[in-house]
Amino acid sequence: MDSDTHSVLLVSRDSKIISQISAFLMPPLFELTTTTDFNEARRISQERTFNIIIADSGDGYDTDFAINVADSYSTVLLLVPNEHFDQISYRVEGYGILSITKPFEPFYFYNMIKVAIAVQYKVQILSSQTVKLKAKMEEIRLVNRAKLLLIQHLKMTEQEAHRYLEKEAMDRGIKRIALAEQVIKTYEN
């Protein structure tokens, strides 16, 4: 996510809501994409990633779109009629969706956008950590597989295989995972 610009997808059938929100989310801080069609919004959200997705639930019961996009990396805000707020917000909060009553006060909406931005930064940090952990787990898996092959083919102990991979990688000036991949190619064929 670019720290200067936040991409936002707004889907609402209500032109008044579109114009209210468009007045808040102006360039250069926000890059706003709007649509009145939920099917088009699904297509757009599959083609690109948005930092924030704002969905207007209409009468309050049209929450399927918000739930469908909730598993993306986007922070999802759902606009819900005041009279249905408790029931619907309770239903969608388990998906990580933030609910906003409508009609909304400008200050309240502004604060929810700030919350959405903060949540988006947190999601980015966590997803970055997840990627690093997955890479580390893959490295451990490959090194363990290489150790097993060294134990089977060269009759080394686990400690000897470990020491061999460490020392050989250091001596050759390559990463341990690269050496593990070489060992796997050599002995798995």
Side-chain angles (χ1 to χ4, degrees), residues 60-75:
Y61 294 102
D62 189 7
T63 59
D64 293 341
F65 171 76
I67 291 170
N68 288 338
V69 297
D71 64 351
S72 69
Y73 288 116
S74 304
T75 301

Side-chain angles (χ1 to χ4, degrees), residues 16-36:
K16 182 180 175 187
I17 286 178
I18 290 175
S19 69
Q20 282 178 319
I21 292 176
S22 296
F24 274 105
L25 307 180
M26 297 183 60
L29 189 56
F30 296 97
E31 176 195 325
L32 181 63
T33 303
T34 63
T35 182
T36 58

Side-chain angles (χ1 to χ4, degrees), residues 55-61 63 77-89 92 97-104:
D56 178 5
S57 69
D59 63 2
Y61 294 102
T63 59
L77 299 176
L78 181 64
L79 303 175
V80 180
N82 195 32
E83 62 271 14
H84 303 295
F85 183 79
D86 288 336
Q87 175 189 4
I88 292 174
S89 66
V92 300
I97 298 171
L98 303 172
S99 301
I100 303 174
T101 59
K102 65 176 192 175
F104 50 82

